[in-house]
Amino acid sequence: MMFKEIAFQSNTYQLTLVLRNQVLRQPLGLILSEKDTLNEELHRHFVLLNESEVIACLVIITDHSKQSVKLKQMAVSDMFRKQGLGSSLITKVEAILRTEGIIKIVLSARITAIPFYETLGYSTQGNEYIEQTIPHIMMSKSL
């Protein structure tokens, strides 16, 4: 497996859109939309690759203070789930962010993903809300 940060609109970025659609939208009867990818040229994109195949990806949005970020659109290919790859991807991204002075990560977690993020040290905040037709909750972690 190879971990790397990729460029917006690269061929690999296009593959992340396919994976994100397959994992995050199609099971809900939705399609990854322009709204889902709005301003992604301003965001950072990270992947785990198996040769040239994107097997996991996530997007990082830096806030204006440059001290915290939002993690979004975390996806792991169905064929590679339950192998620790999602945890590995997040851990590698966190290490990079720490060296850059980022002190906090926030994310909007599907209720079903709360245990996964809790094992990585994230805590829930606030009340449940509906996003993309299903319950979510905000989570955060101090780096």
Side-chain angles (χ1 to χ4, degrees):
M1 302 295 148
M2 180 172 54
F3 165 76
K4 71 183 210 176
E5 185 169 359
I6 61 166
F8 174 73
Q9 292 295 14
S10 65
N11 289 338
T12 305
Y13 171 81
Q14 297 302 321
L15 295 173
T16 69
L17 297 178
V18 172
L19 179 62
R20 289 160 56 187
N21 190 55
Q22 289 172 342
V23 172
L24 302 173
R25 295 299 180 263
Q26 287 178 354
L28 302 176
L30 303 172
I31 297 172
L32 193 70
S33 69
E34 284 186 35
K35 181 182 175 190
D36 294 319
T37 60
L38 188 65
N39 297 319
E40 285 208 343
E41 70 277 7
L42 304 174
H43 307 327
R44 297 175 73 180
H45 306 271
F46 294 90
V47 298
L48 283 178
L49 299 166
N50 184 15
E51 300 195 17
S52 61
E53 178 186 9
V54 175
I55 58 172
C57 63
L58 62 80
V59 178
I60 293 293
I61 303 170
T62 304
D63 80 358
H64 299 294
S65 74
K66 304 230 187 281
Q67 292 186 325
S68 68
V69 298
K70 181 174 184 180
L71 184 154
K72 73 172 207 160
Q73 298 281 306
M74 167 76 182
V76 177
S77 171
D78 289 340
M79 294 187 312
F80 291 91
R81 288 224 176 115
K82 304 293 184 196
Q83 297 180 30
L85 298 175
S87 298
S88 176
L89 177 59
I90 290 176
T91 301
K92 291 174 185 311
V93 170
E94 287 175 351
I96 289 171
L97 297 173
R98 258 188 221 97
T99 67
E100 296 172 351
I102 301 298
I103 59 173
K104 184 177 182 180
I105 298 177
V106 298
L107 58 90
S108 179
R110 293 176 179 200
I111 296 302
T112 56
I114 290 172
F116 167 76
Y117 288 111
E118 285 177 333
T119 64
L120 293 169
Y122 289 80
S123 302
T124 59
Q125 297 181 329
N127 299 314
E128 289 182 23
Y129 53 91
I130 301 297
E131 187 173 297
Q132 301 296 335
T133 73
I134 58 173
H136 282 70
I137 195 159
M138 288 302 296
M139 298 188 80
S140 68
K141 178 180 180 178
S142 295
L143 298 178

